[in-house]
Structure formats: structure tokens, C-alpha cells
Amino acid sequence: MSRHLLVKAFRGVLTAALMLAALPALAQSFVEPPFFAEKLAKKELPPLAQRLPRAPLIVDPTTHGDTVGRYGGEIVTLIARARDIRYLSTYAYTRLVGYNRQLELEPDLLEKIEIANERVFTFTLREGHRWSDGSPFTAEDFRYYWEDVAQNKELSPSGIPEFMLVNGKPPRFEVVDERTVRYSWDQPNPRFLPQLAGAQDPGIFRASNYLKRFHTKYTDKAKLEELAKKQKLKSWAALHNRLDDMKEQTNPDLPTLQAWRVTNTSPATRFIFERNPYYHRIDTKGQQLPYLDRLIMDVSAGGLFAAKANAGEVDLLFRGLSMNDVPVLKEGEKTHRYKTLLWPYARGSEIALYPNLNVVDPVWRELNRDVRFRRALSLGIDRRTLNNALLFGLGTEGNNTVVPESPLFSQDLRTLHAEYNPGEASRLLDQIGLTKRNGAGYRLLPDGRELEIIVETDGESSFIVDGLTLITDFWREIGIRLFVKPQDRTVLRNRSFAGLTVMVAAQGLDNALATAIMPPTELAPMRQDNYSWPKWGQYVETKGSKGEAVDIPEAKRLLDLYMAWMNTGNEEAQAKIWREMLLNSVENQWVIGTVSGALQPIVLRDGLKNMPAKALYSWEPTAMLGIYRTDEIYWNKAENKEARR
């Protein structure tokens, strides 16, 4: 483990130790949320001092420029469909270990983490920590997941999660005591903690006290099968998996460790989340987070999000909005008392082109594998025009790579082979031998077919289709015809996996804000869902049983570098590996980037505090708003805002 990350991890240990000493005095000044006054009066809930862990996580919003908040109120947001309530588990961002705003890992649910040589990870839980129903959060919840869920073939047909395997081997799992668990590998597993801190919580623990009632190891199988049948499910395992729903948020009875818990189920057009009485975070004044009592999610057609925000029907909205909505959003700000924050989206490229190196057509396979062809396509794109037309000139032109805010960034990563130079593009195409043209001026493939690139896209983003329309004009100048083919995402992926796509247009790097400690998975040919090398990715994912082995030396180098990253916990070595992989990617133009830096609109009602005026937005690693701590948002009004009912 790097010295820097060790400091952060052991700082978590030190902080917890200091808290233990300070808590007896602090307990006298705990401030109860008024939301629970009735339950406290009826003795349906113990006092706050008894609901908190003995060493809660004390947060100080002032350390990142915010203010200590106040209790109360609720906010309204929108979702396009009922299942989108699941995204709360991303941006509420409660993790065993999580990123802070500086993208440093720190204990969260855990009290401390001890790491030996990136191979042995010892987790210590907070004494007295409880699930939202009051049941203890202990090592048993980790054991239940590991032994009774992950290794149960009926519940987990695919077995142990891939990120917990090193060279195909799982860790040794130990319950040290009621508050301590340990995972040990023979080789380093530097991606273990970053995975736990990701936008999608892998959930290596479960609410065992609740779920044991639905597991045949602890409950009569015949009774569970009958219960499953009543709910029109095929087996006890299907019943267990439906109820074991930490990410989807569809089971109000399932205890949670998140800041808010769902209170109702589908079918519904409004979902209500209420504060967790046993949440583990408090502020420096002894107030238990979250500050907000309720989150209200109203189901609405996605196309109406901007209009509803303009009409003042939301308090906080971001997912489902795009840069094209900014004029409409700005128009309603004064009348309906909200503001539209504009955060740069930390993505490698808003439109990226993926030449399929595994396409089955032999002519296209040879062409896509020729680096001169990929560079010519890149040099033939007028990114300045794309930027002006699509991003109002506010974007960044260049390759699909990390953003300047990443410590791994260098300017050449953005510009190499990415300037607009149609003359050089034509020269490269001629050099390949694509010199013959038809009467319309388009080049011909070696077999006499017109050089028409069918660029497939999932059709969900008009932004990408609009960009491709412009690229059609740019490539016409160098003798290439582009045909845009939007289609269903599932169909597109299946065609890609089968090697039927010649080129796909999609978004670029998900994690363009990478640091050295984050796995460089997106850069190596090891995932089938990468449109540039689906069969290579399938080969790696299936350990050689399907797909094709990587057979281009420069791409094989990426796999070797990834394995080198996996075998070290030294941050300097990891950074060196990352930089070589990034340079390899732009040098070879495996993915052709265009423009990045779209602005993500965030609608925020006047009076809501503790949301940065400007920050970077992304899925990984910021978990949308997650690392900016939505549990610290509060109303700054004399009377807290109530949602419209």
C-alpha cells in the first residue's frame, strides 16, 4: 500500500480513537432530530446516544467550505421510471470505505482498516453500529454474505464477485471477533478497496438478521417454497434475491445503513425515503445526519424534466438533465426561486468512436487494425466545429483520456493525433493503399466496395447522433462515407459481441478523473462490453473458453501493464503504469475521442445549502453527487420547506 493511502487509512484509526475519548462529553450535547419526537415520546425508539455507534463518524462540513446545517424538511426530485430509485444508493454514497473530495480513501462504515502488503485487509466495525431496524451490524453480516450468499450456487450462480478473485483464487475469509473480519490473498489485490468505494456498492455484507428468515439454511425449505409460490416466484432462492435488494431499494422491510430508507413499493408514482434513525454520521454540534428528513422521488416522463424544473416542481434535480436543457432551466430561475449549477462532466469524451478490432468482416478487420487508418479517422475530425456546435464552445477538444484535474493528466494525452489535419489524414489513407475512388469521390475498399463506415449507436442520445452528422461532413472531405445506424442498446451490444459492428459511437472513459490507486480496467482489452475489442474482452472474462486471444502486440502490452498494476501496491509504480497505458491508448487510437467537458446541469432550490457551486460530476469516481455528501444538504430557511402532497 502506498504511504499516502496508509496515512489516510491510519488517520481513520486515529480519528476513531480520539472520538472514543471525546464521546462521553459529546453525548450530553447530542441533538435529537425533531422528526423522531413522537416515537421517542412513545418509547418506540431509544434516545440518540443509544442509537449511534460508540465511535460514530464525526463530520465537519466547514472543512470543505460548507456550513454546519440544521435539521428538517424534505426535498422533491424526479425519476423517469420507478426502478430509478436505485440510484439513491449511488449518490447517497454510504460505503465501507469511500472517497473524499480529494479522491482519497477513508473509512466510512468501518471504524478502521489495516492493510498488509495489499494482500491482507482487516476491517474493524464501529462498536454499537446498528441497521435501520435497530439490529446490530456485526461480522456476522459479512460471514452471512460470504458463506451463505456468495458461495451458494442457487443464490449466486456466477459465484464470488470477480474483483474478489486474484489469479482466479478467492481470499481466505476470517471472522476475528464480533467487530472484525479479515480477507487474505496470496497475491496483492490493490483494486479491492477502490471497488468497495465505487459508484455501485458491491455489497460484501448483508442484513443477516432479516435475511436468514428467507434462507433454507436457517428456515424450513418447504415453508419458503410455499411463500415463494404465493409471490409467483420459482424458488426460495428467487424469493431471497428479491428481498435481498440493497441496491434496488424496492424492499421497505430490508434494513439499510444508508442515510435514508424507502417506505413504499411499486406500483407508485411517488416514492418516499425517510431518515435512518441509526445512521452512523454526526456533525460537530452533535446533530445526526442526514439533515433532511425525507427525500421524495416523483415518477415523470424524462422529456418533461426540464419543463417541470422550469415550473418550480423540484428542489434538486440532476440525473436526466443535459446541457441542451440549460436555456429552459435558466429561464425559470427567478420566477421559481432556484438556480442551475453547471458542473463539468468528468468523462473522457462525450462522443467516442470505437473501431471494432474483432469485426468478422476480414476486409474491415484488417483496416480497423491498421493504426494508420485509426489515426487518419482522428485527424479527419474538426473538433473545433463539434465543440462550437454541440457544447457552445465550452468543451475541450481532443482524445478520449483523463481530464486535467486527474493527477495522471498531461497535455499530450489530449492532443496526440487529435488535431484537425485532413491533408495528413488523406496522406495516411493513400499510404494504406486506399487510393481508388468512385464517381461520388468516395474511396474504395480493397475488395471494391465503397468505403462506407456504418457507425452504430444506441440511439438514446441525440447528442451523439448530432455529432455523427457533423463527422459525416468531415469524413466526406477525406473520401469516407459515414452512415449512422441508431438502434436498441441490447441489440447493439449483441451485435458487437458477435463481431458484426464495424464501428460504434458511444461515450468515452467513464472514469476520466482517475488517480493511480484506481484500477485501469477501462484501458485494457479485458471487458467484453468495450466496443473496440469485445472478443478480446470475452476471452479474458471467460479465461480463454470463448472469444479471441489478444493478437496485436500494442494491445497485449496493455494487458501486461494491467497485470503489473495488479501486482503492486506502490503508488508511484501504479502511476507510472497508468501513464504508459494512457499514452498507449492515444498513440494507437483504440478509441477515437472528439470533445469532452459537457456541463451537467444541477437544479437547486434557493435555500438549499451545502452543495458546491462548482465541482466535477461523473459516475466514477464521484458517484454523481456522492462524494460531495448529500446527507449534509440542508434547508437554510426559518421554516423548512415541505414537499407538495
Side-chain angles (χ1 to χ4, degrees):
M1 189 175 189
S2 72
R3 180 176 298 180
H4 177 68
L5 194 53
L6 273 171
V7 168
K8 295 307 298 180
F10 284 107
R11 185 180 297 166
V13 177
L14 177 61
T15 303
L18 291 175
M19 285 192 291
L20 286 172
L23 270 178
L26 185 60
Q28 304 302 315
S29 59
F30 283 145
V31 182
E32 284 281 1
F35 183 79
F36 295 126
E38 186 176 341
K39 287 187 175 182
L40 287 165
K42 294 179 179 179
K43 300 190 182 303
E44 295 175 355
L45 202 64
L48 181 55
Q50 296 176 28
R51 300 199 307 271
L52 291 168
R54 186 161 180 246
L57 179 60
I58 300 177
V59 302
D60 183 359
T62 64
T63 59
H64 41 252
D66 290 336
T67 54
V68 175
R70 52 188 296 172
Y71 281 137
E74 47 197 34
I75 61 173
V76 175
T77 189
L78 300 176
I79 51 176
R81 50 186 179 171
R83 67 175 305 201
D84 287 351
I85 62 174
R86 60 186 168 156
Y87 290 106
L88 180 61
S89 63
T90 294
Y91 61 81
Y93 200 62
T94 303
R95 301 289 185 268
L96 292 172
V97 56
Y99 292 112
N100 60 23
R101 294 190 185 190
Q102 289 72 47
L103 298 180
E104 300 160 327
L105 288 171
E106 294 180 327
D108 182 5
L109 292 171
L110 298 175
E111 182 179 324
K112 68 177 180 179
I113 309 164
E114 296 171 90
I115 306 166
N117 301 317
E118 292 292 340
R119 296 189 302 102
V120 181
F121 298 79
T122 303
F123 294 167
T124 301
L125 309 183
R126 298 178 187 275
E127 183 179 352
H129 194 174
R130 295 180 180 274
W131 292 87
S132 57
D133 66 346
S135 60
F137 176 47
T138 69
E140 173 62 12
D141 298 316
F142 290 78
R143 187 212 63 78
Y144 179 80
Y145 167 74
W146 182 251
E147 294 181 1
D148 300 332
V149 176
Q151 298 187 69
N152 184 296
K153 294 298 183 182
E154 292 180 87
L155 295 177
S156 304
S158 58
I160 294 167
E162 193 272 336
F163 79 95
M164 298 188 78
L165 302 177
V166 176
N167 295 327
K169 296 180 180 180
R172 293 179 297 280
F173 172 77
E174 305 169 65
V175 173
V176 179
D177 57 41
E178 187 181 51
R179 292 175 51 215
T180 312
V181 296
R182 180 175 295 130
Y183 300 87
S184 305
W185 285 270
D186 294 331
Q187 299 295 324
N189 189 2
R191 61 178 175 164
F192 184 45
L193 294 186
Q195 190 80 30
L196 296 181
Q200 189 170 18
D201 188 349
I204 62 171
F205 55 88
R206 290 294 193 272
S208 62
N209 188 60
Y210 170 79
L211 289 170
K212 284 178 180 178
R213 288 177 265 169
F214 308 100
H215 198 298
T216 54
K217 184 176 177 179
Y218 307 95
T219 303
D220 181 67
K221 183 176 182 179
K223 291 181 179 179
L224 291 179
E225 293 290 1
E226 182 62 27
L227 184 58
K229 186 177 180 181
K230 288 180 180 178
Q231 296 197 26
K232 299 181 179 180
L233 297 170
K234 292 183 178 180
S235 67
W236 75 269
L239 174 67
H240 185 284
N241 284 344
R242 173 175 286 186
L243 298 173
D244 177 18
D245 200 11
M246 291 202 304
K247 299 185 190 75
E248 298 293 323
Q249 310 267 356
T250 57
N251 180 8
D253 295 328
L254 180 68
T256 184
L257 299 173
Q258 297 273 349
W260 297 275
R261 48 175 289 274
V262 69
T263 63
N264 63 310
T265 62
S266 290
T269 57
R270 166 168 280 199
F271 292 88
I272 300 174
F273 290 78
E274 293 185 349
R275 63 184 308 128
N276 174 3
Y278 293 91
Y279 194 53
H280 68 295
R281 298 177 189 165
I282 62 172
D283 69 17
T284 51
K285 290 186 177 180
Q287 298 180 107
Q288 183 187 36
L289 298 180
Y291 292 128
L292 296 169
D293 292 330
R294 288 191 181 98
L295 260 59
I296 314 294
M297 295 188 178
D298 287 337
V299 180
S300 172
L304 298 177
F305 277 19
K308 284 181 172 287
N310 172 284
E313 296 183 24
V314 300
D315 302 311
L316 175 66
L317 185 63
F318 48 96
R319 191 174 182 277
L321 296 177
S322 70
M323 203 163 169
N324 290 336
D325 296 318
V326 171
V328 173
L329 297 173
K330 285 290 186 182
E331 188 179 74
E333 286 184 335
K334 289 185 179 179
T335 304
H336 295 290
R337 293 177 300 159
Y338 67 83
K339 52 183 168 287
T340 307
L341 309 179
L342 297 174
W343 290 11
Y345 206 125
R347 189 156 43 209
S349 185
E350 294 302 316
I351 304 172
L353 298 165
Y354 293 77
N356 188 351
L357 305 172
N358 306 142
V359 61
V360 294
D361 184 309
V363 176
W364 277 113
R365 174 178 285 228
E366 183 176 355
L367 202 53
N368 278 348
R369 287 172 170 234
D370 192 323
V371 68
R372 295 171 297 177
F373 182 65
R374 301 193 300 272
R375 288 175 182 169
L377 296 181
S378 178
L379 294 169
I381 296 173
D382 183 353
R383 292 171 173 85
R384 177 64 53 83
T385 297
L386 280 178
N387 188 6
N388 290 334
L390 301 176
L391 299 178
F392 311 107
L394 301 174
T396 301
E397 300 144 21
N399 289 313
N400 175 46
T401 192
V402 292
V403 297
E405 290 81 1
S406 166
L408 304 168
F409 177 81
S410 61
Q411 188 60 31
D412 59 326
L413 294 175
R414 182 65 64 186
T415 58
L416 187 64
H417 306 301
E419 72 276 9
Y420 182 46
N421 191 338
E424 176 62 12
S426 292
R427 189 191 69 78
L428 288 170
L429 294 172
D430 290 343
Q431 188 182 82
I432 294 169
L434 301 171
T435 55
K436 294 181 181 179
R437 299 186 183 233
N438 61 18
Y442 290 111
R443 296 174 187 268
L444 300 179
L445 292 169
D447 62 0
R449 285 179 291 169
E450 184 178 74
L451 206 171
E452 178 185 58
I453 302 178
I454 298 175
V455 181
E456 304 186 35
T457 181
D458 63 20
E460 294 182 6
S461 171
S462 61
F463 184 94
I464 290 179
V465 174
D466 291 344
L468 291 175
T469 302
L470 291 170
I471 295 172
T472 299
D473 294 332
F474 307 150
W475 281 358
R476 184 183 296 117
E477 293 183 30
I478 58 174
I480 294 175
R481 185 193 292 274
L482 187 158
F483 180 81
V484 183
K485 186 179 180 181
Q487 57 189 303
D488 176 79
R489 177 178 292 185
T490 301
V491 173
L492 173 60
R493 286 187 173 180
N494 288 337
R495 283 179 52 76
S496 171
F497 297 165
L500 299 177
T501 57
V502 172
M503 187 174 294
V504 171
Q507 293 165 333
L509 285 175
D510 271 337
N511 184 4
L513 196 54
T515 65
I517 66 168
M518 298 175 188
T521 314
E522 287 186 88
L523 299 178
M526 53 188 301
R527 282 173 31 178
Q528 187 180 13
D529 61 2
N530 186 304
Y531 294 121
S532 285
W533 41 53
K535 290 183 180 292
W536 289 348
Q538 185 185 43
Y539 186 87
V540 173
E541 288 179 339
T542 63
K543 299 178 175 60
S545 64
K546 295 180 181 178
E548 301 174 7
V550 179
D551 57 353
I552 295 178
E554 293 82 2
K556 179 66 166 59
R557 176 61 179 164
L558 290 173
L559 276 181
D560 293 341
L561 287 166
Y562 179 82
M563 293 310 300
W565 184 93
M566 278 291 296
N567 284 303
T568 181
N570 181 283
E571 192 170 336
E572 290 183 7
Q574 289 174 330
K576 184 177 179 181
I577 290 166
W578 256 102
R579 290 190 176 99
E580 183 178 343
M581 293 181 76
L582 288 165
L583 185 59
N584 178 307
S585 296
V586 299
E587 179 71 42
N588 287 285
Q589 293 291 314
W590 307 117
V591 180
I592 301 168
T594 56
V595 289
S596 64
L599 298 177
Q600 174 62 47
I602 300 173
V603 172
L604 191 72
R605 176 79 66 183
D606 290 352
L608 276 179
K609 299 297 181 182
N610 282 0
M611 182 58 59
K614 191 170 185 179
L616 290 174
Y617 182 93
S618 67
W619 175 254
E620 294 281 6
T622 71
M624 297 189 276
L625 307 184
I627 69 167
Y628 308 107
R629 301 300 182 192
T630 51
D631 58 359
E632 295 177 22
I633 297 174
Y634 72 97
W635 286 107
N636 188 36
K637 294 181 178 179
E639 294 183 4
N640 290 316
K641 164 123 178 1
E642 295 295 327
R644 295 159 295 285
R645 289 185 171 83

mmCIF file of all heavy atoms in Angstrom, residues 127 201 239 254 290 304 337 352 368 433 474 569 600:
data_model
loop_
_atom_site.group_PDB
_atom_site.id
_atom_site.type_symbol
_atom_site.label_atom_id
_atom_site.label_comp_id
_atom_site.label_asym_id
_atom_site.label_seq_id
_atom_site.Cartn_x
_atom_site.Cartn_y
_atom_site.Cartn_z
ATOM 1 N N GLU A 127 -18.262 -0.155 17.064
ATOM 2 C CA GLU A 127 -18.971 -0.794 18.168
ATOM 3 C C GLU A 127 -20.354 -0.155 18.350
ATOM 4 O O GLU A 127 -20.487 1.066 18.391
ATOM 5 C CB GLU A 127 -18.168 -0.656 19.468
ATOM 6 C CG GLU A 127 -18.796 -1.361 20.651
ATOM 7 C CD GLU A 127 -17.975 -1.229 21.920
ATOM 8 O OE1 GLU A 127 -16.837 -0.715 21.836
ATOM 9 O OE2 GLU A 127 -18.471 -1.627 22.999
ATOM 10 N N ASP A 201 -22.081 0.091 -5.037
ATOM 11 C CA ASP A 201 -21.583 -0.655 -3.887
ATOM 12 C C ASP A 201 -21.690 -2.154 -4.167
ATOM 13 O O ASP A 201 -22.790 -2.663 -4.408
ATOM 14 C CB ASP A 201 -22.407 -0.290 -2.654
ATOM 15 C CG ASP A 201 -21.843 -0.864 -1.369
ATOM 16 O OD1 ASP A 201 -20.937 -1.714 -1.432
ATOM 17 O OD2 ASP A 201 -22.324 -0.469 -0.284
ATOM 18 N N LEU A 239 -37.023 -15.853 -4.149
ATOM 19 C CA LEU A 239 -37.620 -15.047 -3.075
ATOM 20 C C LEU A 239 -36.542 -14.314 -2.285
ATOM 21 O O LEU A 239 -36.648 -13.102 -2.030
ATOM 22 C CB LEU A 239 -38.433 -15.957 -2.154
ATOM 23 C CG LEU A 239 -39.016 -15.291 -0.902
ATOM 24 C CD1 LEU A 239 -40.078 -14.273 -1.287
ATOM 25 C CD2 LEU A 239 -39.588 -16.343 0.049
ATOM 26 N N LEU A 254 -36.350 -4.367 4.216
ATOM 27 C CA LEU A 254 -34.928 -4.690 4.296
ATOM 28 C C LEU A 254 -34.186 -3.575 5.021
ATOM 29 O O LEU A 254 -34.198 -2.419 4.582
ATOM 30 C CB LEU A 254 -34.345 -4.865 2.890
ATOM 31 C CG LEU A 254 -32.849 -5.210 2.823
ATOM 32 C CD1 LEU A 254 -32.590 -6.605 3.372
ATOM 33 C CD2 LEU A 254 -32.333 -5.086 1.390
ATOM 34 N N PRO A 290 -28.747 12.270 8.228
ATOM 35 C CA PRO A 290 -28.783 13.427 7.331
ATOM 36 C C PRO A 290 -29.556 14.582 7.968
ATOM 37 O O PRO A 290 -30.375 14.385 8.880
ATOM 38 C CB PRO A 290 -29.526 12.884 6.109
ATOM 39 C CG PRO A 290 -30.462 11.867 6.687
ATOM 40 C CD PRO A 290 -29.704 11.218 7.799
ATOM 41 N N LEU A 304 -39.925 15.556 -19.775
ATOM 42 C CA LEU A 304 -40.556 16.690 -19.083
ATOM 43 C C LEU A 304 -39.718 17.220 -17.926
ATOM 44 O O LEU A 304 -40.134 18.172 -17.263
ATOM 45 C CB LEU A 304 -41.937 16.270 -18.559
ATOM 46 C CG LEU A 304 -42.973 15.858 -19.609
ATOM 47 C CD1 LEU A 304 -44.259 15.409 -18.918
ATOM 48 C CD2 LEU A 304 -43.249 17.008 -20.564
ATOM 49 N N ARG A 337 -37.502 30.598 -8.073
ATOM 50 C CA ARG A 337 -36.534 30.633 -6.975
ATOM 51 C C ARG A 337 -35.669 29.381 -6.873
ATOM 52 O O ARG A 337 -35.675 28.670 -5.881
ATOM 53 C CB ARG A 337 -37.262 30.881 -5.654
ATOM 54 C CG ARG A 337 -37.891 32.270 -5.567
ATOM 55 C CD ARG A 337 -38.657 32.435 -4.294
ATOM 56 N NE ARG A 337 -39.739 31.455 -4.181
ATOM 57 C CZ ARG A 337 -40.317 31.097 -3.046
ATOM 58 N NH1 ARG A 337 -39.910 31.615 -1.907
ATOM 59 N NH2 ARG A 337 -41.303 30.220 -3.036
ATOM 60 N N ALA A 352 -17.324 9.221 -28.508
ATOM 61 C CA ALA A 352 -16.122 8.445 -28.812
ATOM 62 C C ALA A 352 -16.467 7.412 -29.873
ATOM 63 O O ALA A 352 -17.558 6.842 -29.880
ATOM 64 C CB ALA A 352 -15.584 7.761 -27.557
ATOM 65 N N ASN A 368 -9.445 -1.815 -39.710
ATOM 66 C CA ASN A 368 -9.574 -1.296 -38.343
ATOM 67 C C ASN A 368 -8.336 -1.559 -37.502
ATOM 68 O O ASN A 368 -8.038 -0.808 -36.566
ATOM 69 C CB ASN A 368 -10.794 -1.909 -37.660
ATOM 70 C CG ASN A 368 -12.092 -1.214 -38.019
ATOM 71 O OD1 ASN A 368 -12.084 -0.139 -38.611
ATOM 72 N ND2 ASN A 368 -13.219 -1.818 -37.670
ATOM 73 N N GLY A 433 -3.132 2.382 -49.115
ATOM 74 C CA GLY A 433 -3.496 1.823 -50.415
ATOM 75 C C GLY A 433 -4.922 2.095 -50.815
ATOM 76 O O GLY A 433 -5.419 1.561 -51.815
ATOM 77 N N PHE A 474 -17.193 15.933 -42.217
ATOM 78 C CA PHE A 474 -15.731 16.000 -42.113
ATOM 79 C C PHE A 474 -15.085 14.849 -42.887
ATOM 80 O O PHE A 474 -14.096 15.051 -43.610
ATOM 81 C CB PHE A 474 -15.276 15.937 -40.649
ATOM 82 C CG PHE A 474 -15.927 16.949 -39.742
ATOM 83 C CD1 PHE A 474 -16.136 16.667 -38.399
ATOM 84 C CD2 PHE A 474 -16.334 18.187 -40.219
ATOM 85 C CE1 PHE A 474 -16.720 17.590 -37.552
ATOM 86 C CE2 PHE A 474 -16.927 19.118 -39.377
ATOM 87 C CZ PHE A 474 -17.127 18.815 -38.043
ATOM 88 N N GLY A 569 1.397 -2.552 -4.872
ATOM 89 C CA GLY A 569 0.643 -1.590 -4.086
ATOM 90 C C GLY A 569 1.378 -0.268 -3.981
ATOM 91 O O GLY A 569 0.958 0.628 -3.252
ATOM 92 N N GLN A 600 -22.939 19.465 -16.729
ATOM 93 C CA GLN A 600 -24.085 18.782 -16.137
ATOM 94 C C GLN A 600 -24.918 19.789 -15.347
ATOM 95 O O GLN A 600 -24.462 20.329 -14.345
ATOM 96 C CB GLN A 600 -23.620 17.667 -15.202
ATOM 97 C CG GLN A 600 -24.745 16.990 -14.427
ATOM 98 C CD GLN A 600 -25.744 16.310 -15.338
ATOM 99 O OE1 GLN A 600 -25.368 15.601 -16.257
ATOM 100 N NE2 GLN A 600 -27.033 16.517 -15.071
#
